[in-house]
């Protein structure tokens, strides 16, 4: 599996317990937030795009994701790419490992 950026990146919020940056309360972060020098986000696996959308409804459990893409990899796992500035793929498309998705 490759990383989602072609150049240097850093972890801005790891998986696990943390102080929520929005509420200041202790919470569990269910993902890993990364930021890269290159802002193009690439698929880490080959697979099929399940969703490519933006969530703005704050009553949705996933509203903090904003622009996001989910890909079901050929390995059967689902990969989520959230907080994207833009999306470069549509639901139903097949993507290759390393292909730009956002």
């Amino acid at each position: 599996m490759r990383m989602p950026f072609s150049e240097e990146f850093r972890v801005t919020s790891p998986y696990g317990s943390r102080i929520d940056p929005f509420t200041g309360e202790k919470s569990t972060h269910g993902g890993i937030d990364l930021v890269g020098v290159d802002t193009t986000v690439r698929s880490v696996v080959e697979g099929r795009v399940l969703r490519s959308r933006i969530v703005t409804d704050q009553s949705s459990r996933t509203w903090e994701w904003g622009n996001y893409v989910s890909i079901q990899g050929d390995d059967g796992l689902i990969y989520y790419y959230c907080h994207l500035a833009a999306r470069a793929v549509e639901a139903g498309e097949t993507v290759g490992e390393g292909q730009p998705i956002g």
Side-chain angles (χ1 to χ4, degrees):
M1 181 188 330
R2 64 175 291 126
M3 294 310 282
F5 298 103
S6 63
E7 297 180 26
E8 246 181 81
F9 67 91
R10 65 184 170 93
V11 175
T12 57
S13 187
Y15 176 87
S17 294
R18 68 174 185 170
I19 301 299
D20 188 292
F22 299 106
T23 66
E25 298 175 6
K26 187 174 182 179
S27 66
T28 300
H29 186 232
I32 301 170
D33 290 350
L34 308 172
V35 64
V37 172
D38 174 10
T39 59
T40 301
V41 177
R42 300 171 186 281
S43 178
V44 298
V45 294
E46 292 184 4
R48 185 174 59 87
V49 178
L50 296 176
R51 293 191 188 259
S52 176
R53 67 185 202 163
I54 186 169
V55 180
T56 58
D57 179 1
Q58 291 189 13
S59 67
S60 171
R61 290 183 34 211
T62 60
W63 79 269
E64 293 174 344
W65 294 3
N67 266 317
Y68 83 93
V69 170
S70 62
I71 296 173
Q72 182 161 27
D74 290 347
D75 59 5
L77 299 175
I78 299 175
Y79 298 81
Y80 292 88
Y81 305 82
C82 305
H83 315 302
L84 301 172
R87 293 167 282 122
V89 292
E90 295 293 328
E93 286 184 41
T94 299
V95 296
E97 182 178 329
Q99 178 178 334
I101 59 169

